Amino acid sequence: MKLLRNNLLEAFCAVVECGGFSEAQFRLGISQSAISCRIRDLELALGYRVCERGRSGFQLTERGKIAYEKACEIIRLVEDFDAELLELRGTITGQLRIGIVDTVISLPGFPLVPALQRFFSKENDVNLELVVASPNDLKEGLITGSLHIAIAPFKRKRDELEYIKVCSENHYMYCGKAHELFACDTDEISPDILNNHAVCQRSYDMIVARDAKAPEPKAIVTNMEAAAALILSGKFLGVLPDHYATQWVKTGEMRLLEHPDLTWTSEFYIASRKSQAHRQAVEWFIKALLHGL
Amino acid sequence: MKLLRNNLLEAFCAVVECGGFSEAQFRLGISQSAISCRIRDLELALGYRVCERGRSGFQLTERGKIAYEKACEIIRLVEDFDAELLELRGTITGQLRIGIVDTVISLPGFPLVPALQRFFSKENDVNLELVVASPNDLKEGLITGSLHIAIAPFKRKRDELEYIKVCSENHYMYCGKAHELFACDTDEISPDILNNHAVCQRSYDMIVARDAKAPEPKAIVTNMEAAAALILSGKFLGVLPDHYATQWVKTGEMRLLEHPDLTWTSEFYIASRKSQAHRQAVEWFIKALLHGL
DNA sequence: TAATTACATTGATATATTTCATGTAAACAT
DNA sequence: ATGTTTACATGAAATATATCAATGTAATTA
C-alpha cells in the first residue's frame, strides 16, 4: 500500500487546488485522462472516494478533506527530506518558505530585501515561496512546517521557536484629510479622542487597547492597505507605521495625531524552529538576514 | 527530484540493514540486479555515493550514514501517513510500534498480554512491532516517532508525552547460593552490605544509590537476565523484581536479602505522544491496555 | 433537442523496471 | 601464481506501468 507512488498525492492536491481535473492538466503538465487514472488509483488504494466530480461540480468528500490536509503535509515533509539529502551534495536546494507580515518593505532596517540579494547572488537551486500573513498564521506555519522562516512582530514567544530581534516599527495615530480632527489644534489631541471617534485596527495588533476604557474598534482590518483606505476615507482614525503613513502625510492626505500616549512600538523578530536539523538553505538565509545588522 | 520514487529508499535501507545487495534480495523479494539499479538511481539523484560495496565489503559513506538515518525517518513518517489515510476507511491498519522493558511478562498487572489478546481478537490489518529497550531509548523512540506506545517505569516525565499509570513493580536485593551472605543471619542484613559486596545494577535503574555512601557498582547490566546470571554466579548481589526472582528463590538458588531499606518500587506507565492526531490503531491499543485496569 | 462541459474508459504507445545472462574485480584457497 | 568464489555492475530482452489520443457518458445549459 503506497499512497506516495506515481505522484498520486500531487495529482490529488493539484486537482483540489484547481477545482477539477481539467484545470489541473496545465498545472501538472499531463493529460486529463492521466489525472483520472491517478485519482482512480488513489481511491482504489484508499478504499474510499475522495471527491465528487463531473459536470455537476467538483467537491471533496468528508474523508477527502482530511486526506487532502494530510497529503499537503506529507508532501511538504517529503520535499524537505529531498532537500536535506540533496544538500549533502554541497549545493543548497529545495523549497524555502518564508513568511512576513504586510507593509514591511518600507520599514527601515527590515532585512528581507538585502537578504534576498545576498542569498540569490550566490548560485543555488533554491525555490523561494514568500507568504504574507498575520503573525499568528506565520507562527502556525512555522510550527506545522509549512514555513521555514518568518519575520514579524511576534508578541508571545513559543517555546518550540527561536527568535532573533531584527528591528522595530513605530506606530502613530493618523486621520485623513476629510476627518474632523484633521484641522484641530495640537492640544486637542489626547487619548480621549479614541472614545469619540471611530477607530480601525489591524486584527492582530489591537495596540490601541492600552487603557481600560479603550473603545470597541469600529472596523477591523487584516492588512495595512485596508487600514490606510479607511483612514483616507476620513471616517476612521487608525494606527499606521510611520514609514508607511509618511507618503500621505507628505501629500497632505493624512495628519499625524501626535501625542505621547498615542505611540506604539512593535519589535520585529526572525523566527524559526528550534531543535530541528535545519536545512542549509534555511540556515544560510537566516545568516543572510542577519548579515546587515 | 523525487527520492521516494520506486522504493529507492526502501532498497537503500534494506541494503544497509542486510549489509549488502545480495542479502537484501530476499528481504526485498527482487533480484540483485534490480537492487543494483535502485541504488544506482538513488545515487544518481543524490549526486553522491551512499555506500562502498563489492567483494571488499559493504560500508556506508559519511553522507550515506546521514542519508540512511533520514531515510528511515521519512519511511516511518510515510508509513504512518498511509495508515492514517487508510484508517479513514474504517478498518484499522498500518504499523503499530510498541516498546517495553525486559522481564515484564511475569509482572502482575502488566497489561500487555491481555491487551494483545483483546486487540487482535478483533479483525484488523495491523502489523505489530514489539521492541524491548531501556526506558530512555523508549522515550527517545516515542519522541522521534519510531514508537507509538511504550510501557515502562518512566521516572522523569516529558512534556510532549502523555503518561498513564498502570502498575508497579517491587524490587528486592538477592544473592546466589554460592554467595557468602546466602547463609547469614537475618539481622546481619542491612544497607551496609552494599559497601562490603559487589553489586550489579541495571544501567537505567541505579536504584541502589539511595544514601550518600552508595558504592560504585561492580557490574552494569542492561537486562534482567544478565543481572540474574551475575547473581546466580554467587559473585554479585543484585536487585531484581520479586516476580522474576521468585523462580530461583523457590529452587533455593537465590536468597532474598530482606530489609526495609533494601526495597524499591517502580511505577509503570503507558506513554505516548500528546498533541498529535493519534492513529486509531494507537488509540485502540491504549484502550485495550486500559481495559483490564 | 442539441450543444457543452467534465470526467471515465479504452486500446495503442511510450516509459520504466525487472530479470536473465554475463562481465568484472577483489578476496581467498590451493 | 592460478583458479575459484563472492559481490556487485551491466546490457538486452521481457515485463509491468503510465500516458496519450480518441471516444463514450452523464449532467447541464442553450
Side-chain angles (χ1 to χ4, degrees):
Chain A
M1 293 283 183
K2 288 244 52 185
L3 302 179
L4 271 100
R5 83 173 213 284
N6 193 30
N7 296 334
L8 297 188
L9 295 180
E10 281 83 349
F12 176 43
C13 290
V15 163
V16 173
E17 284 149 25
C18 296
F21 292 17
S22 346
E23 188 57 29
Q25 297 181 81
F26 312 110
R27 163 111 157 245
L28 291 168
I30 59 175
S31 70
Q32 171 266 316
S33 55
I35 296 177
S36 183
C37 283
R38 287 194 193 176
I39 299 296
R40 171 172 48 72
D41 290 351
L42 178 67
E43 290 182 330
L44 212 63
L46 285 172
Y48 52 87
R49 220 171 154 75
V50 292
C51 58
E52 298 305 330
R53 61 266 191 186
R55 188 66 191 85
S56 41
F58 179 88
Q59 196 170 8
L60 281 175
T61 62
E62 278 310 306
R63 289 153 159 181
K65 280 178 202 163
I66 301 171
Y68 171 67
E69 297 300 331
K70 297 199 193 250
C72 292
E73 202 179 313
I74 198 76
I75 285 175
R76 274 202 311 269
L77 285 171
V78 168
E79 269 179 1
D80 284 359
F81 166 81
D82 279 11
E84 281 173 27
L85 288 204
L86 284 172
E87 282 184 348
L88 291 179
R89 193 174 58 178
T91 61
I92 53 177
T93 59
Q95 288 288 118
L96 183 56
R97 298 182 291 265
I98 297 178
I100 55 173
V101 289
D102 68 307
T103 321
V104 286
I105 331 110
S106 57
L107 169 60
F110 194 77
L112 183 66
V113 175
L116 287 170
Q117 288 171 343
R118 255 199 115 61
F119 186 82
F120 284 103
S121 63
K122 257 180 292 202
E123 181 66 21
N124 65 49
D125 291 336
V126 172
N127 263 30
L128 187 71
E129 197 178 325
L130 193 55
V131 173
V132 175
S134 72
N136 207 52
D137 287 355
L138 295 176
K139 175 209 74 187
E140 277 299 314
L142 288 172
I143 289 170
T144 63
S146 71
L147 289 177
H148 297 116
I149 301 172
I151 320 172
F154 294 106
K155 279 174 213 144
R156 263 177 283 284
K157 310 288 179 293
R158 299 277 307 218
D159 269 356
E160 54 273 63
L161 303 182
E162 190 168 64
Y163 298 87
I164 306 171
K165 200 191 147 189
V166 280
C167 64
S168 50
E169 187 177 49
N170 293 315
H171 300 253
Y172 302 97
M173 184 69 66
Y174 293 89
C175 69
K177 190 155 72 176
H179 197 277
E180 53 177 317
L181 286 177
F182 191 79
C184 73
D185 283 346
T186 314
D187 55 346
E188 284 176 49
I189 300 169
S190 80
D192 228 36
I193 60 174
L194 300 178
N195 299 315
N196 309 321
H197 298 279
V199 174
C200 68
Q201 304 196 4
R202 217 160 24 166
S203 59
Y204 62 82
D205 274 332
M206 298 300 177
I207 53 181
V208 172
R210 172 176 283 181
D211 57 357
K213 52 176 180 152
E216 284 288 296
K218 284 275 163 45
I220 297 278
V221 296
T222 54
N223 165 299
M224 283 294 182
E225 195 175 351
L230 292 179
I231 295 167
L232 288 169
S233 78
K235 299 298 180 193
F236 292 88
L237 301 179
V239 176
L240 293 179
D242 55 351
H243 63 87
Y244 185 55
T246 191
Q247 54 188 305
W248 293 293
V249 173
K250 268 187 199 153
T251 62
E253 292 175 278
M254 278 191 197
R255 172 180 171 181
L256 166 58
L257 299 174
E258 208 167 1
H259 187 277
D261 286 351
L262 295 176
T263 73
W264 299 266
T265 304
S266 352
E267 310 289 352
F268 273 71
Y269 297 88
I270 301 170
S272 60
R273 259 193 293 187
K274 260 185 206 169
S275 75
Q276 183 204 306
H278 266 147
R279 280 180 34 219
Q280 262 185 56
V282 176
E283 278 187 6
W284 286 36
F285 198 89
I286 292 178
K287 258 188 215 153
L289 283 168
L290 294 174
H291 193 268
L293 301 182
Chain B
M1 293 285 183
K2 287 242 53 183
L3 302 178
L4 270 98
R5 86 173 213 286
N6 193 30
N7 296 336
L8 296 187
L9 295 179
E10 281 82 350
F12 177 43
C13 289
V15 164
V16 173
E17 283 149 25
C18 295
F21 294 16
S22 347
E23 188 58 29
Q25 298 181 79
F26 312 109
R27 163 110 157 243
L28 291 168
I30 58 175
S31 69
Q32 169 266 315
S33 53
I35 296 177
S36 182
C37 283
R38 288 193 193 178
I39 300 295
R40 171 173 49 71
D41 290 352
L42 178 67
E43 290 182 331
L44 214 62
L46 285 173
Y48 52 86
R49 221 171 154 74
V50 291
C51 59
E52 299 304 330
R53 62 267 191 185
R55 189 65 188 86
S56 40
F58 180 89
Q59 195 170 6
L60 281 174
T61 62
E62 277 311 304
R63 289 153 159 181
K65 280 177 203 163
I66 301 171
Y68 171 67
E69 297 301 330
K70 296 199 193 251
C72 292
E73 201 179 314
I74 199 75
I75 286 174
R76 273 202 312 268
L77 284 171
V78 168
E79 268 179 2
D80 284 359
F81 165 80
D82 279 11
E84 281 174 27
L85 288 204
L86 285 172
E87 281 184 347
L88 291 179
R89 195 174 54 180
T91 61
I92 53 177
T93 60
Q95 287 290 117
L96 183 57
R97 298 182 292 266
I98 296 178
I100 55 173
V101 290
D102 68 307
T103 322
V104 286
I105 331 108
S106 57
L107 169 60
F110 193 77
L112 183 65
V113 175
L116 288 169
Q117 289 171 343
R118 255 198 117 60
F119 187 82
F120 285 103
S121 63
K122 259 180 293 209
E123 181 65 23
N124 65 49
D125 292 337
V126 171
N127 262 30
L128 187 70
E129 194 177 327
L130 194 55
V131 173
V132 175
S134 73
N136 208 51
D137 288 354
L138 295 176
K139 177 208 72 187
E140 278 298 316
L142 289 172
I143 290 170
T144 63
S146 71
L147 290 177
H148 297 117
I149 301 172
I151 320 172
F154 294 106
K155 279 174 213 146
R156 264 175 283 284
K157 310 287 178 294
R158 298 278 306 219
D159 268 356
E160 55 272 64
L161 302 182
E162 190 169 63
Y163 298 88
I164 306 169
K165 202 192 145 188
V166 281
C167 64
S168 52
E169 187 177 50
N170 293 315
H171 300 253
Y172 303 97
M173 184 69 65
Y174 293 89
C175 70
K177 189 154 71 175
H179 197 277
E180 52 176 317
L181 285 177
F182 191 79
C184 74
D185 283 346
T186 314
D187 56 346
E188 284 177 49
I189 300 170
S190 79
D192 228 37
I193 60 174
L194 301 178
N195 300 314
N196 309 320
H197 299 278
V199 174
C200 68
Q201 308 196 1
R202 219 163 19 167
S203 58
Y204 62 82
D205 273 333
M206 297 300 177
I207 52 181
V208 171
R210 172 176 284 184
D211 58 356
K213 52 176 182 152
E216 285 287 298
K218 283 276 161 47
I220 297 277
V221 295
T222 53
N223 167 297
M224 283 295 182
E225 195 174 352
L230 292 177
I231 295 167
L232 289 168
S233 78
K235 298 297 180 193
F236 293 88
L237 302 179
V239 176
L240 292 180
D242 55 351
H243 62 89
Y244 184 56
T246 191
Q247 56 187 305
W248 293 292
V249 173
K250 269 186 198 154
T251 62
E253 292 175 278
M254 277 191 196
R255 171 179 172 183
L256 166 59
L257 301 174
E258 207 168 1
H259 187 278
D261 287 351
L262 295 176
T263 73
W264 299 267
T265 304
S266 348
E267 311 289 352
F268 273 71
Y269 298 88
I270 301 170
S272 60
R273 259 193 293 187
K274 260 185 210 170
S275 75
Q276 184 203 305
H278 265 148
R279 277 179 36 218
Q280 263 185 57
V282 175
E283 278 186 6
W284 286 37
F285 198 88
I286 291 178
K287 257 185 215 155
L289 283 167
L290 294 174
H291 192 267
L293 299 183

